[in-house]
Amino acid sequence: MRELAYLRPDDVGDAVAAVSGNPRAQYLGGGTNLVDHLKLGVTSPELLVDVRRLPLDEVEEVAGDDGPRLRVGANVRNSDLAAHPVVRSVFPAVARALLSGASGQIRNQATAAGNLLQRTRCVYFQDVTTACNKRDPGSGCSAIGGYARYNAILGASEACVTTHPSDLAVALAALDATVVVQGPDGERRVPVRELHRLPGDRPQQDTTLAHGELITAVELTAGRLTRRSTYYKARDRASYAFALVSVAGALQLDGDTVTDVRLAWGGVAHRPWRATVAEDALRGSAFSEEAVLAACERELAAAVTSEDSAFKVPMVRNVSALVLGRLAKEDR
């Protein structure tokens, strides 16, 4: 039994002050990831700061300079967000990504911010008897040369080859969402594409957030492109399984010409992978399945695979063609 202190602050400022002032403090939201790690011994905080009762559980429609926005409080439950009528009609990729995650019971407990900040499900990260640079920097990476079916094929390093597990993060990266962050020095906004980081030589650092910074909301800007969006997850079973690969896409056509496109991949990197090379190749071109496959090949030129993970290259390429092909039919 490990002793720890527990604090339930009344406002965001008190929560931020408590965590930023203690290097061994952590936030507790829905707890669907953190509680597992406490049980497994993956983490042992000195202080838990419970943010569940902070007034961050509303979904608001607000006016923005570049279009109407949806502001999603950090504590909004995944199930509530997936069922929200505006999310379902204007941001369908978000709703479908949420419904692809975990189980109904976990979606009822998990929060929007917690979903984005969940840590990898790499079997070696969760097994404290094995070497893992993410859990114990400098100890080595057991996944290199070990069980590699879920390993990254893009952006990995010699220190870490794990992938980010969030479905929601992939959809938000495709739709250019922004997270609102409160820290000791005030509020700032971070594009979701810049929230997570590649492992490099610091795989223990999942995000670009400083210690003590708290996500208070996620903002989405509505538009024609967001309405023509979707999410598809390829996995070993139909429920309660993490992605082998996943694809969030959005597409806008003028006749047969691609005027705009968004493509983000999950299950292939330490962060949601925005396929900008493929997007650039598709914009302005005639839409076809062959064009999508060729564009994805350009993006995947940098892929590094093992015998166990090589299947991800054709899988993510083909799922991208499936996703954009379905959207093209809707747009015609």
Side-chain angles (χ1 to χ4, degrees), residues 196-268:
H196 303 96
R197 57 181 300 279
L198 294 177
D201 58 1
R202 290 181 291 120
Q204 70 275 18
Q205 186 176 342
D206 293 337
T207 73
T208 58
L209 299 181
H211 180 73
E213 287 192 309
L214 176 67
I215 294 177
T216 57
V218 177
E219 292 183 339
L220 285 152
T221 301
R224 181 184 171 191
L225 194 66
T226 67
R227 290 176 170 85
R228 288 285 186 267
S229 66
T230 193
Y231 181 83
Y232 187 92
K233 180 178 182 178
R235 46 188 163 173
D236 284 326
R237 56 181 183 268
S239 179
Y240 203 59
F242 295 97
L244 295 170
V245 303
S246 64
V247 175
L251 182 67
Q252 187 172 316
L253 297 176
D254 182 4
D256 287 331
T257 302
V258 178
T259 56
D260 206 355
V261 63
R262 300 288 188 276
L263 200 58
W265 295 339
V268 299

Side-chain angles (χ1 to χ4, degrees), residues 168-177 192-193 262-264 272-274:
L168 175 61
V170 178
L172 294 180
L175 299 184
D176 293 319
V192 168
R193 289 175 61 186
R262 300 288 188 276
L263 200 58
W273 189 270
R274 181 68 177 269

Side-chain angles (χ1 to χ4, degrees), residues 42-58:
V42 171
T43 187
S44 54
E46 181 179 275
L47 170 66
L48 282 184
V49 178
D50 189 339
V51 297
R52 289 175 295 178
R53 293 194 179 182
L54 297 180
L56 304 172
D57 58 353
E58 299 292 331

Side-chain angles (χ1 to χ4, degrees), residues 103-161:
S103 65
Q105 295 90 337
I106 290 177
R107 292 194 294 271
N108 286 339
Q109 178 75 9
T111 64
N115 191 312
L116 298 180
L117 297 177
Q118 62 184 302
R119 308 204 71 190
T120 183
R121 267 32 179 222
C122 175
V123 294
Y124 300 106
F125 173 71
Q126 298 194 104
D127 182 355
V128 296
T129 67
T130 63
C132 172
N133 288 320
K134 180 175 283 293
R135 177 173 25 84
D136 184 15
S139 64
C141 177
S142 297
I144 297 177
Y147 181 71
R149 181 170 170 78
Y150 288 91
N151 284 4
I153 60 172
L154 292 167
S157 71
E158 293 183 359
C160 183
V161 292

Side-chain angles (χ1 to χ4, degrees), residues 7 9-21 27 49 51 54-56 182-186 212 214 216:
L7 177 67
D10 295 324
D11 60 47
V12 170
D14 289 344
V16 170
V19 175
S20 61
Y27 292 115
V49 178
V51 297
L54 297 180
L56 304 172
Q182 183 73 34
D185 298 324
L214 176 67
T216 57

